[in-house]
Amino acid sequence: MRLRNVTGSREVIAGSRFVVPEEEQKRCPGRWRERFGNQNPLYIEIGMGKGKFIHTMAKEHPEINFVGIEKYSTVLLRAVQKMEQEELPNLKFLRMDAEEIDQVFGHGEVDRIYLNFSDPWPKDRHSKRRLPSREFLARYDRILTEDGHIEFKTDNRALFDFAVEELSPAGWEAKVLTYDLHADAALMEGNVMTEYEEKFSAMGNPICKYVIVRGSGSEKDEIAKRRR
Ligand code: SAM
């Protein structure tokens, strides 16, 4: 998602108390709970867009700390404006490229990662930029707690098939996998719709979702060996 240039968006982001300033980001690893002032679990959404999902989640779960990450100021601006209308103490934002995610969160500091309707980057040569790619899974592996998990939703079947194929080589396995989330009453319990989910499900597109954890048994040993 890229919005047309919004005059002053960079300045608003730079001056917002809801956004961690770029010069402070390098001091964040291992200190998120201190920043929130409590010991609550930490959930993050990467590529949050205008922030509808994470704002709703933070409102529904005051016992959890949330961090929303977005690359573009023009898009993040909408999330900041939402916070100005309804401030939540357990939600903060980062304007950054998720390629540097493991420089902003410490080893095993994040309990859950949400990827919602990530950009598909359809050209093969751009596959490393896809947020559920094995390159990104390796970054998530560094910041997630031992029993942390990743939830990914999309209506883009090609991207979802790619994401599923990445799991085994990267040492992850699916606990939940559906090609039609909205047809599954049990999985829909507590489901918070994102902006893209509302738009594409209204057009009749089925929504795919997985929930993944690190692989078990010998696969896990193999990954541990590779990490050494
Ligand atoms: N998650 C929202 C939803 O489901 O409605 C927005 C989906 S939109 C298609 C994807 C968003 O991810 C865009 O706002 C884009 O700028 C952001 N994004 C893509 N790659 C990113 C990256 N490497 N780091 C941070 N944000 C990224």
Side-chain angles (χ1 to χ4, degrees):
M1 183 192 301
R2 265 183 113 155
L3 301 178
R4 263 185 301 128
N5 193 31
V6 181
T7 315
S9 60
R10 272 184 180 275
E11 290 72 16
V12 173
I13 298 305
S16 170
R17 67 185 190 285
F18 307 125
V19 184
V20 178
E22 287 182 31
E23 61 278 11
E24 265 187 46
Q25 290 180 2
K26 293 275 151 51
R27 291 200 292 275
C28 286
R31 299 173 75 174
W32 280 98
R33 283 174 178 81
E34 189 185 318
R35 187 171 280 277
F36 279 103
N38 60 49
Q39 292 300 310
N40 293 344
L42 179 61
Y43 292 5
I44 68 175
E45 183 187 11
I46 303 178
M48 68 165 178
K50 298 179 196 167
K52 175 183 180 289
F53 171 84
I54 200 157
H55 195 275
T56 309
M57 288 291 285
K59 194 172 162 180
E60 288 183 3
H61 299 282
E63 75 289 0
I64 293 166
N65 298 326
F66 289 87
V67 177
I69 295 154
E70 171 53 49
K71 190 150 96 175
Y72 296 109
S73 309
T74 49
V75 184
L76 175 56
L77 179 66
R78 307 296 179 203
V80 167
Q81 288 168 337
K82 210 184 295 259
M83 274 282 266
E84 280 164 359
Q85 284 162 12
E86 190 174 12
E87 189 171 339
L88 301 171
N90 59 329
L91 174 59
K92 300 200 184 296
F93 301 124
L94 286 169
R95 197 215 59 77
M96 64 175 286
D97 189 321
E99 283 191 9
E100 300 188 345
I101 196 87
D102 50 356
Q103 294 171 36
V104 173
F105 296 95
H107 185 84
E109 190 173 22
V110 175
D111 294 275
R112 190 175 297 178
I113 298 175
Y114 293 103
L115 306 174
N116 291 317
F117 295 78
S118 307
D119 291 341
W121 291 105
K123 292 188 178 132
D124 278 350
R125 69 171 191 277
H126 292 148
S127 66
K128 289 181 184 172
R129 297 184 193 174
R130 297 173 192 153
L131 294 180
S133 67
R134 67 187 71 184
E135 288 79 10
F136 272 98
L137 288 174
R139 296 180 179 110
Y140 307 150
D141 182 38
R142 293 194 273 278
I143 63 170
L144 265 183
T145 55
E146 196 71 13
D147 55 355
H149 75 241
I150 302 172
E151 300 197 8
F152 172 47
K153 291 194 279 191
T154 182
D155 69 319
N156 185 318
R157 184 59 192 267
L159 178 65
F160 192 68
D161 288 344
F162 165 84
V164 170
E165 280 165 22
E166 291 292 89
L167 295 181
S168 176
W172 294 74
E173 62 187 30
K175 276 199 324 185
V176 170
L177 195 151
T178 176
Y179 293 91
D180 195 355
L181 172 65
H182 290 202
D184 188 320
L187 290 181
M188 280 301 279
E189 220 171 282
N191 182 60
V192 169
M193 295 250 257
T194 79
E195 259 143 16
Y196 273 60
E197 186 172 357
E198 275 185 348
K199 182 169 147 192
F200 291 119
S201 61
M203 288 164 60
N205 296 4
I207 307 301
C208 305
K209 176 176 179 174
Y210 74 38
V211 178
I212 60 166
V213 293
R214 294 180 183 91
S216 53
S218 56
E219 212 173 72
K220 204 169 190 172
D221 296 342
E222 198 43 49
I223 303 297
K225 261 191 244 154
R226 267 188 266 148
R227 261 197 240 132
R228 269 180 226 138

